[in-house]
Amino acid sequence: DGPKDEQSHSVRELVRKPGFWKHMLILGALRGSTVMLGLVSLSYVAVSFTETIKASAPLATVLFARLILGERTSTTVLLTLFPVMVG
């Protein structure tokens, strides 16, 4: 029994949890709508503005994680967001 067996075992347990597939369906629908809305935005605003908004997504994720889940993000992670967003 190596780490690979433990990992596949934990994945099987996760998939069997109640509500897993419902949550995955919701997450997939939200992700699909994000892609669709991003494409629609291209017909209304400049590509550069759309890309700027998309680049701010990691910061928005950290902000919502703090506001909704109460998660604290480490300073190291916060500092790594800026090079990712600036590109």
Side-chain angles (χ1 to χ4, degrees):
D1 287 331
K4 197 163 190 110
D5 290 336
E6 291 174 15
Q7 186 179 17
S8 64
H9 182 65
S10 63
V11 170
R12 275 185 256 133
E13 287 177 9
L14 181 65
V15 170
R16 289 184 182 148
K17 284 191 175 192
F20 174 80
W21 292 109
K22 179 179 117 181
H23 291 122
M24 287 297 105
L25 183 63
I26 292 169
L27 187 61
L30 289 172
R31 176 65 181 138
S33 64
T34 301
V35 171
M36 291 281 281
L37 290 172
L39 293 172
V40 168
S41 74
L42 293 174
S43 60
Y44 293 101
V45 295
V47 173
S48 59
F49 183 71
T50 299
E51 291 303 316
T52 302
I53 297 300
K54 285 169 55 177
S56 68
L59 188 60
T61 301
V62 168
L63 180 65
F64 286 128
R66 175 73 171 143
L67 294 174
I68 296 170
L69 303 175
E71 288 184 5
R72 287 194 174 268
T73 305
S74 70
T75 305
T76 307
V77 171
L78 288 173
L79 291 174
T80 61
L81 290 179
F82 292 106
V84 170
M85 292 186 318
V86 174

